[in-house]
Amino acid sequence: MPSTDARSNLAGSVLRPLWLDTPDRPEPRAPLSAADTSRTRGLVVVGGGFTGLWAAVRAKEREPSRDVLLLEGERIAEHATGRNGGFCEASLTHGEGNGRERWPEEYDELEVLGLRNLDEIAATIERHGIDCGFDRSGVLAVATRPHEVAGLEPDVEGFLDATAVRRVLASPTYLAGRVSRDDCATLDPARLAWGLARVAETLGVRIAEHSPVEGITQRRDHVELTTLGLTLRAEQVVLATNVFRPLLRRLRMSIVPVYDYVLATEPLTPAQVEAIGWTDRVGVSDSGNQFHYYRLTPDDRILWGGYDAIYHFGRSVDTAHEDRTESFETLARNFAETFPQLQDVRFTHRWAGAIDTCTRFCAFFGVTRGRRIAYATGFTGLGVGASRFGADVMLDLLAGEPTERTRLRMVREKPLPFPPEPIAWIGIQLTRWSLAREDATGRRNLWLRLLDRLGLGFDS
Ligand SMILES: Cc1cc2nc3c(=O)[nH]c(=O)nc-3n(C[C@H](O)[C@H](O)[C@H](O)COP(=O)(O)OP(=O)(O)OC[C@H]3O[C@@H](n4cnc5c(N)ncnc54)[C@H](O)[C@@H]3O)c2cc1C
């Protein structure tokens, strides 16, 4: 598709995450007030995305009498949680390849724990009647270049050749595919987050929005947090601030923000859905390093995201990075190539979000300051499901009781940090360039092989 066509299909789109663009978005809760600081709180959760919300809900489920307060700097689900593709995967390790490579001896256990985590997310949604379009139709992995076919294991049962995969979804670009049904659901992430916030409040959690925590200091028998000129005391703290400037200095080199871009179309007509044969609502992901993820929304739009992954010098997180014409036009062109049947379909929404990327490509966890402060971050673009596991890990670590989770090497180990600038920037650009080359040629160059040998995961 020429750039002019891509441009015209994007012309009426608004720069706004689809999920947040609804009159159903709840009004913000009141910020922290002096009255909230009158006593030492049991547990203060910082961050109102999935990780913080699950931590608040799980803390009350585990110990109903616990005094829990959640502080969100902006609004619930404002960032990654309200901007993602809504693929809720069982994987805790950003896929089997990454998990088996790093923790081969415990991977089977990680898989069991991940599936149980997804089952428990489904059970929570069901129990509390959270209307978030949860649909466990699974995910279809597709190959669109000849060298990607082998990765879908042609000799293993369930492999779909070109004819078979195009019966699941009719794109002329598909060469092969594989569906896995039970380990992925799609959902509306903002509605799940708003539902979790409501559940947390029903369980007795106080949620304060527009209350950014500026500092955190350990005192002899409590932790002090400062926000809005107020000082709050807490027995224990959960940090769930994802890609934002970590309140703990030790985490500053461990993650880098990488921007990911997304489009959503207008709702398709039944005839358009039929033209591409997308009947069973399976989510889709293609197999390149620069991969697209896409799915039908509950109102039959196509959400189409991924491909570009943009890092800005100095670990910069800034709303100015969100409107990147080049990335949106690339997405629109690739969409047209995948679904030529939909060439007249318009995009109504375009947006971006920052991904908390770490060198092991999946979340890491820790506890510090005499078991008073726990953190979970580094989900690297796969945190919709894994955030609940991360929340439980943090609560386990704060409780100080060994559990099946805290015994895992995956939980005990930390990723290698990124180097300082300008080396980080140069390394990330070189890696991006090399990954794009591998997509084009099917060959991993020296740089990627060196990273593989160092155990630095860039093989999503
Ligand atoms: C475009 C995009 C697509 C994605 N697609 C998928 C997908 O399909 N499937 C999947 O599994 N994952 C996906 N992800 C990743 C997933 O969205 C995240 O891993 C997950 O939402 C992380 O949740 P979180 O609570 O850790 O972070 P966030 O949602 O970023 O929440 C952190 C919150 O902390 C608040 N905060 C930060 N600092 C402070 C402070 N000092 N004081 C108070 N509050 C603070 C922020 O305002 C923010 O609301 C995607 C991410 C992006 C950006």
Side-chain angles (χ1 to χ4, degrees), residues 387-409:
S387 51
R388 182 183 180 282
F389 177 84
D392 265 321
V393 169
M394 288 190 284
L395 297 173
D396 291 346
L397 292 172
L398 288 173
E401 295 293 327
T403 66
E404 58 187 346
R405 289 174 288 261
T406 60
R407 275 188 282 265
L408 292 166
R409 196 156 66 79

Side-chain angles (χ1 to χ4, degrees), residues 47 49-51 72-73 79-81 84-87 213 240 242 293 353 381-384:
F50 281 135
T51 309
E72 162 54 44
H79 290 286
T81 292
N84 61 67
F87 286 70
V213 174
N242 192 20
Y293 52 88
L382 208 71
V384 172

Side-chain angles (χ1 to χ4, degrees), residues 259-377:
Y259 277 81
D260 188 27
Y261 296 83
V262 194
L263 301 176
T265 67
E266 59 195 343
L268 302 188
T269 62
Q272 286 168 328
V273 175
E274 207 185 310
I276 54 172
W278 205 338
T279 47
D280 69 354
R281 310 195 82 81
V282 69
V284 188
S285 165
D286 50 34
S287 303
N289 294 311
Q290 294 179 290
F291 67 99
H292 301 94
Y293 52 88
Y294 44 107
R295 51 162 294 188
L296 282 177
T297 63
D299 60 350
D300 282 348
R301 298 163 188 271
I302 296 178
L303 177 149
W304 175 263
Y307 200 77
D308 271 350
I310 306 294
Y311 171 72
H312 295 272
F313 190 87
R315 296 169 160 75
S316 165
V317 177
D318 191 329
T319 47
H321 304 321
E322 292 174 15
D323 195 6
R324 191 168 191 275
T325 306
E326 195 185 330
S327 294
F328 293 129
E329 288 186 1
T330 302
L331 280 173
R333 271 196 308 279
N334 295 352
F335 177 90
E337 206 178 297
T338 305
F339 295 124
Q341 308 93 315
L342 302 180
Q343 57 179 301
D344 297 328
V345 169
R346 302 268 160 176
F347 296 103
T348 56
H349 293 76
R350 62 187 204 282
W351 71 95
I355 284 178
D356 53 335
T357 304
C358 71
T359 56
R360 72 184 212 177
F361 244 56
C362 63
F364 61 96
F365 324 89
V367 68
T368 181
R369 317 280 166 93
R371 261 199 307 112
R372 290 199 181 273
I373 304 177
Y375 59 85
T377 186

Side-chain angles (χ1 to χ4, degrees), residues 215-282:
I216 184 164
T217 315
Q218 184 177 7
R219 302 292 180 207
R220 200 171 51 81
D221 58 355
H222 66 273
V223 177
E224 236 171 55
L225 301 104
T226 48
T227 171
L228 305 172
L230 298 165
T231 301
L232 178 68
R233 292 180 312 277
E235 286 164 15
Q236 292 188 312
V237 175
V238 153
L239 296 178
T241 57
N242 192 20
V243 79
F244 296 91
R245 188 177 165 77
L247 290 159
L248 292 176
R249 187 174 289 274
R250 67 169 63 185
L251 296 178
R252 295 206 176 142
M253 303 307 271
S254 299
I255 49 171
V256 294
V258 172
Y259 277 81
D260 188 27
Y261 296 83
V262 194
L263 301 176
T265 67
E266 59 195 343
L268 302 188
T269 62
Q272 286 168 328
V273 175
E274 207 185 310
I276 54 172
W278 205 338
T279 47
D280 69 354
R281 310 195 82 81
V282 69

Side-chain angles (χ1 to χ4, degrees), residues 176-218:
R178 175 173 290 281
V179 185
S180 56
R181 287 287 175 199
D182 201 40
D183 52 8
C184 180
T186 51
L187 49 78
D188 174 333
R191 284 180 196 270
L192 174 57
W194 298 331
L196 289 174
R198 173 176 56 77
V199 170
E201 287 176 325
T202 310
L203 296 172
V205 175
R206 156 85 167 108
I207 297 179
E209 295 183 61
H210 293 298
S211 304
V213 174
E214 284 127 28
I216 184 164
T217 315
Q218 184 177 7

